[in-house]
Amino acid sequence: MTGPVDPSSTGAWARLGALAAEFEPDLRGWFEADPGRVERLTFTAADLYVDLSKSLVDDRVLGALLELADEVGLADRRDAMFRGDRINVTEDRAVLHTALRLPADAGPDERPSVDGEDVVAEVHEVLDRVYDFADRVRSGAWTGVTGERIRTVVNIGIGGSDLGPVMAYEALAPYRQDGLECRFISNIDPTDAATTLAGLDPASTLFIVSSKTFGTLETLTNARLCRAWLLDGLSDQDKTEAVARHFVAVSTALDKVAEFGIDTDNAFGFWDWVGGRYSMDSAIGLSLVVAIGPERFAEMLGGFHAMDEHFRRTDLAHNVPALMGLLNVWYTNFLGAGTHAVLPYAQLLHRFPAYLQQLTMESNGKGVRWDGSPVSTDTGEVFWGEPGTNGQHAFYQLIHQGTRLVPADFIAFVNPAYPLQDTVDGHSTDVHQLFLANFLAQTRALAFGKTAEEVRAEGTAEAVVPARVFPGNRPTASIMAPALTPSVLGQLVALYEHITFTQGAVWGIDSFDQWGVELGKQLAQQVAAAVAGDTAAAGEQDASTQQLLGYYWRHRQ
Ligand code: F6P
């Protein structure tokens, strides 16, 4: 494998720099002068309809971004990922989350192997077991130790072993089975376990301990708390078999699962070539499979695969994840954007931005390239967001009129999950249409703004005119789909996985390791003794930490 290309050494980078220096964004003018712009910049990827016409680019910038993609070898790196090359070099691993959604009968040219193993066969072997287990829980065939059917499934996991399942459980709420609820415990703050378990009946509760490594402090601590809670709530006679009937696990470390006392017959594996933040479509999705059923989960995998196919096979000039990733590079490295908002106009996607934060920021928040050399450009931007229209009444002010450039992705669905009508004085309004009107209005306001002349024409007092001007030229992408189905959710997640990949490939970084989370974990172990009262350990801390420990000890009740 040759080393990463320094993007800033390419001709395209120099060209983009020159274009940025003289860039005068003018979405109003561009729309007026170029009737073909919208059609040219609107793309279809699987079921997603993606309008990039309100992006801050002209044809010259777009051309230079595509040249940049060529010069850094984006397509080669993409192909290397799909092939199963060990592109996660700092952990010496293949990166094959795309294999998690390959159909069982995928042809030989699509079927990657790792160390000679047919990974697709392994994926489907585990999926079949996951589906079978979920079916047994859903039908009531799998019971708790007292013979009661399972009413609540509690997923214990954090990061990639939590955010994806929670996000999808919320997003696909209309597809859940009645009478079967999932809850999620992630935080080591004991409040999380205490409040999540409150009101549950141990006899009808099943725990899924989800941890790729099965070594994560938070997850193992919470798993022990839950085990104690379970045993505490059952009679002595039922305690013996309780863990076997009420605890299952998802992990790549089945030996550690056994050590914890979980029957490995009830453990579902995955592989080190699946990153935690890329794992919601592996067995880590078990809670979701129980909630929505194998058929719907398989539809979601089909959606992921459809977007994989688009990314893998579409030329870069029409390749939606590649284009969106390249636009993000333009905004980040040439127009000075430090953040990127993702604004779903779908309450069901309320955890999508949180999910994306791990996906994007754990992947691309890096300061060295994959060969260890320092990056010469800015890398990952801060992703954030909230569902519309709530965000409109909170932070949109800054996006519309603030001094910072905040590129934003707007996501909306034609058909609502819950079609409700609002009736006032006998006149009925489709509430989803009102919702969509907001989605459309916001991207329009951000792109085209409102001039001083337009403000004055409304009779506004001169002194207030400047405050009421909207500068416009705030870039947005509009993503629409017919409805938020399991397949469309899979497509959306895969879209952002590949956007993230594209940006990482341009910057030459390893988007699949996460060494930056390690130091804090190590120090927490070290400080734990000091918090527990070990004065020698406390003495080894820095002055600030010692002072904070002092405050803790003075105020502890
Ligand atoms: O600390 C970060 C991290 O390693 C994430 O990458 C991962 O998703 C999370 O912790 C949980 O890890 P595990 O699934 O091994 O418990």
Side-chain angles (χ1 to χ4, degrees):
M1 203 183 302
T2 53
V5 173
D6 174 355
S8 67
S9 71
T10 61
W13 198 271
R15 208 153 24 261
L16 286 163
L19 289 168
E22 60 178 37
F23 195 58
E24 286 181 9
D26 180 17
L27 281 167
R28 276 193 188 217
W30 293 341
F31 267 69
E32 268 163 32
D34 178 5
R37 179 181 172 91
V38 175
E39 201 186 324
R40 220 170 45 250
L41 289 175
T42 299
F43 304 89
T44 303
D47 295 318
L48 305 188
Y49 183 73
V50 182
D51 180 352
L52 302 179
S53 66
K54 297 194 195 87
S55 304
L56 278 198
V57 279
D58 57 20
D59 288 346
R60 289 185 309 164
V61 172
L62 208 50
L65 286 170
L66 289 166
E67 281 169 33
L68 177 64
D70 269 355
E71 288 189 77
V72 298
L74 170 62
D76 286 350
R77 196 151 171 84
R78 173 197 62 190
D79 296 345
M81 172 175 74
F82 278 99
R83 219 170 28 233
D85 291 7
R86 293 176 180 270
I87 62 167
N88 176 358
V89 290
T90 72
E91 294 179 316
D92 192 23
R93 289 176 182 168
V95 174
L96 273 178
H97 45 277
T98 53
L100 296 170
R101 48 262 194 165
L102 275 169
D105 60 357
D109 62 321
E110 301 193 85
R111 238 180 150 90
S113 72
V114 173
D115 301 328
E117 298 294 329
D118 176 359
V119 299
V120 181
E122 290 181 24
V123 163
H124 282 272
E125 210 177 290
V126 175
L127 262 183
D128 288 346
R129 290 185 55 233
V130 163
Y131 289 170
D132 175 62
F133 179 77
D135 273 337
R136 283 188 284 152
V137 174
R138 286 163 66 81
S139 68
W142 178 281
T143 61
V145 69
T146 65
E148 262 198 64
R149 73 182 290 162
I150 299 300
R151 300 273 170 214
T152 310
V153 172
V154 178
N155 185 77
I156 308 168
I158 196 164
S161 300
D162 168 71
L163 289 163
V166 178
M167 179 277 289
Y169 179 73
E170 295 295 314
L172 300 178
Y175 296 89
R176 292 181 205 154
Q177 174 167 305
D178 286 344
L180 195 50
E181 182 200 7
C182 292
R183 295 188 185 186
F184 299 85
I185 300 176
S186 55
N187 204 333
I188 199 167
D189 179 343
T191 308
D192 201 6
T195 55
T196 306
L197 294 175
L200 294 183
D201 174 7
S204 61
T205 302
L206 175 76
F207 294 97
I208 303 173
V209 187
S210 297
S211 175
K212 179 176 166 179
T213 54
F214 225 78
T216 303
L217 177 72
E218 290 89 336
T219 301
L220 294 188
T221 305
N222 280 323
R224 284 189 295 270
L225 290 178
C226 291
R227 187 173 56 188
W229 173 87
L230 173 79
L231 296 176
D232 208 34
L234 293 171
S235 69
D236 284 347
Q237 173 195 331
D238 291 328
K239 284 192 204 317
T240 331
E241 286 297 305
V243 174
R245 300 299 305 171
H246 292 262
F247 270 78
V248 301
V250 182
S251 184
T252 59
L254 297 181
D255 48 335
K256 293 187 184 160
V257 170
E259 254 169 55
F260 184 85
I262 295 175
D263 184 349
T264 45
D265 282 351
N266 301 325
F268 304 90
F270 61 115
W271 307 269
D272 70 1
W273 41 260
V274 182
R277 54 194 175 275
Y278 297 88
S279 68
M280 62 170 274
D281 47 344
S282 70
I284 286 289
L286 179 58
S287 53
L288 181 67
V289 189
V290 173
I292 66 170
E295 207 177 313
R296 297 303 195 181
F297 191 82
E299 284 171 24
M300 186 182 81
L301 295 184
F304 271 99
H305 180 59
M307 187 57 67
D308 293 342
E309 285 293 285
H310 171 87
F311 184 52
R312 189 176 188 177
R313 313 215 181 265
T314 310
D315 67 292
L316 295 184
H318 299 90
N319 190 311
V320 176
L323 288 170
M324 291 180 73
L326 291 170
L327 285 170
N328 290 351
V329 168
W330 168 242
Y331 297 141
T332 303
N333 297 116
F334 296 94
L335 301 189
T339 82
H340 192 106
V342 178
L343 308 167
Y345 277 64
Q347 188 59 30
L348 290 169
L349 284 179
H350 71 111
R351 294 296 289 161
F352 193 57
Y355 169 76
L356 287 184
Q357 288 190 318
Q358 187 198 12
L359 175 64
T360 57
M361 289 156 71
E362 205 172 72
S363 295
N364 285 341
K366 312 281 163 70
V368 294
R369 289 194 280 262
W370 52 262
D371 65 349
S373 59
V375 295
S376 54
T377 67
D378 270 332
T379 59
E381 64 275 50
V382 174
F383 275 75
W384 59 284
E386 277 289 320
T389 59
N390 294 1
Q392 291 176 203
H393 299 273
F395 52 78
Y396 277 35
Q397 165 68 40
L398 184 148
I399 308 183
H400 280 288
Q401 289 188 314
T403 55
R404 297 170 196 281
L405 181 73
V406 183
D409 300 343
F410 282 69
I411 303 169
F413 303 95
V414 175
N415 298 295
Y418 302 96
L420 298 178
Q421 298 283 325
D422 177 29
T423 305
V424 181
D425 298 336
H427 179 75
S428 186
T429 309
D430 177 336
V431 180
H432 188 66
Q433 288 181 344
L434 268 183
F435 190 33
L436 286 182
N438 277 275
F439 159 79
L440 296 169
Q442 289 298 325
T443 58
R444 200 175 136 183
L446 287 163
F448 307 118
K450 193 172 185 181
T451 64
E453 290 68 45
E454 286 165 342
V455 175
R456 279 189 199 103
E458 290 173 343
T460 305
E462 194 56 35
V464 190
V465 168
R468 300 190 62 167
V469 167
F470 288 71
N473 292 320
R474 312 277 156 138
T476 60
S478 298
I479 302 171
M480 294 190 78
L484 182 51
T485 60
S487 169
V488 164
L489 181 68
Q491 294 170 34
L492 270 175
V493 173
L495 169 69
Y496 280 92
E497 287 177 350
H498 300 320
I499 291 172
T500 303
F501 178 90
T502 298
Q503 293 182 240
V506 170
W507 291 321
I509 57 184
D510 184 338
S511 299
F512 303 99
D513 62 14
Q514 56 285 316
W515 298 107
V517 299
E518 293 303 322
L519 179 59
K521 286 187 197 173
Q522 273 171 18
L523 293 182
Q525 300 277 10
Q526 200 182 311
V527 178
V531 183
D534 178 333
T535 45
E540 285 166 16
Q541 308 302 320
D542 63 88
S544 165
T545 306
Q546 287 193 28
Q547 178 177 268
L548 294 166
L549 283 166
Y551 179 87
Y552 167 74
W553 279 106
R554 283 196 304 282
H555 292 273
R556 187 167 183 264
Q557 289 164 351

